[in-house]
Amino acid sequence: MLCASVKNEKQTETNKYNFLIMKQLFLSLVFLTLFQLTANAQYEFGTYYIDANLDLDISNEKIDITNGSSSKNNAFNINPEIGYFIKNNLAIGIGFNYKNTLNFDSHISYIMLHTNGSVDYTLSGATSNELNEIAPSFFIKYFYQPTKKLSLSLKASYSKGWGTYNLIQKYIKDPQGEETIFKSEKNKIESKYICLSPELQYLITSKLGLQINFDGLSYISTTKYDNVFNLNGFNPSLSTGSITKHDYESINFNIKPAAWSFGVFVLLN
């Protein structure tokens, strides 16, 4: 019985020893795999890169038959950047964002009636406005690379924008055919943007990749100086206007596909 007990104890010790060996081999394999992923990482200290995201939104004209209105909106946004990796997977950089938006709206402003209820005239309005803005930016971005080609990143950025806002308002009096046009051009706009946005990168080669920016969380502060017209429906030529300052602030969170922007990036190491 004593010999059997000793034999069982030796067998137990052997099993423990084998388990420890297998555990060490497994951990070694895990560390080697992680090391290999790190060794293959493209986002290394001292590397420069450039990227550019593009967002283009051309909407179809929308017509509302009930009130005779229609609208059309176009937007173009490009954001080139240059970054430098201050350590593996962590980059800082600068860039600028150029934005152009064009909006058009038409509607029936007034319907003037006789005392007997017949229509004397209708006053139809059409408004078009165009925004051009350039916003230099500073950012810091952290990359997580689960595979050799695929990476996720989180970018925090601050940008300050300056631009102009052109506004044209046109009113047509039917059936008299009278037309009145107001122009308010080169109105100033100043904006601040603070953004936290997730991104996805995919390397096509060791130097070239594709990128998606998912928008994310943003704080926007905008000040607009524009000429606001007060329309006189009985006589549009007597309408008045004045330069007015408007301040807007908003906090937004949006990761819907409509807010995504697509781009390319190039590593320069």
Side-chain angles (χ1 to χ4, degrees):
M1 294 294 294
L2 181 60
C3 291
S5 177
V6 172
K7 184 176 180 180
N8 290 335
E9 290 180 1
K10 289 184 177 180
Q11 183 65 38
T12 301
E13 292 295 329
T14 301
N15 291 339
K16 289 182 178 180
Y17 179 78
N18 291 335
F19 174 77
L20 290 174
I21 293 296
M22 293 298 294
K23 183 178 179 180
Q24 290 177 355
L25 289 174
F26 175 77
L27 291 175
S28 299
L29 180 61
V30 171
F31 285 128
L32 284 173
T33 302
L34 293 176
F35 176 77
Q36 184 66 20
L37 287 175
T38 305
N40 289 333
Q42 307 295 322
Y43 311 116
E44 299 174 342
F45 166 71
T47 300
Y48 287 91
Y49 78 94
I50 56 175
D51 68 7
N53 291 332
L54 176 65
D55 183 15
L56 183 63
D57 181 13
I58 300 177
S59 64
N60 296 323
E61 187 171 9
K62 299 179 181 179
I63 300 176
D64 189 340
I65 300 176
T66 58
N67 59 15
S69 66
S70 65
S71 63
K72 183 183 291 185
N73 304 285
N74 298 330
F76 172 80
N77 194 346
I78 188 169
N79 181 27
E81 296 175 335
I82 182 168
Y84 174 77
F85 285 89
I86 57 176
K87 61 184 298 186
N88 288 356
N89 299 321
L90 183 64
I92 61 173
I94 57 174
F96 78 90
N97 182 65
Y98 170 71
K99 177 169 62 177
N100 173 271
T101 61
L102 179 62
N103 304 309
F104 173 82
D105 295 286
S106 66
H107 54 277
I108 296 177
S109 302
Y110 290 91
I111 300 178
M112 307 305 297
L113 303 175
H114 280 299
T115 54
N116 62 6
S118 62
V119 175
D120 185 8
Y121 68 86
T122 61
L123 190 65
S124 302
T127 302
S128 63
N129 57 74
E130 182 178 15
L131 167 68
N132 285 283
E133 183 183 63
I134 293 180
S137 64
F138 170 81
F139 69 88
I140 181 168
K141 186 189 295 189
Y142 177 77
F143 290 79
Y144 168 68
Q145 192 176 14
T147 71
K148 185 176 180 180
K149 289 186 173 293
L150 188 67
S151 63
L152 301 172
S153 64
L154 186 63
K155 180 173 73 173
S157 63
Y158 171 83
S159 56
K160 172 72 175 178
W162 295 270
T164 58
Y165 179 81
N166 299 329
L167 177 66
I168 298 176
Q169 294 172 290
K170 181 170 68 174
Y171 298 93
I172 299 176
K173 190 176 184 180
D174 290 321
Q176 289 84 349
E178 298 176 10
E179 183 177 87
T180 303
I181 297 177
F182 302 113
K183 290 186 178 181
S184 177
E185 299 179 318
K186 295 184 178 179
N187 302 299
K188 295 181 180 179
I189 287 184
E190 298 178 3
S191 302
K192 290 186 293 185
Y193 305 88
I194 302 175
C195 303
L196 187 64
S197 54
E199 294 180 331
L200 176 69
Q201 292 84 18
Y202 180 79
L203 285 166
I204 301 174
T205 70
S206 61
K207 304 291 184 182
L208 177 66
L210 301 177
Q211 180 170 266
I212 303 176
N213 182 288
F214 297 104
D215 197 10
L217 181 65
S218 62
Y219 165 79
I220 302 173
S221 173
T222 302
T223 299
K224 296 173 64 176
Y225 302 87
D226 53 5
N227 199 344
V228 178
F229 293 98
N230 299 311
L231 175 66
N232 185 327
F234 296 95
N235 191 338
S237 63
L238 298 180
S239 301
T240 59
S242 60
I243 299 295
T244 307
K245 176 184 174 182
H246 300 279
D247 293 318
Y248 307 91
E249 287 187 342
S250 64
I251 297 177
N252 308 294
F253 179 76
N254 189 2
I255 56 173
K256 295 180 180 179
W260 299 357
S261 58
F262 299 85
V264 297
F265 67 96
V266 180
L267 296 167
L268 302 178
N269 58 331

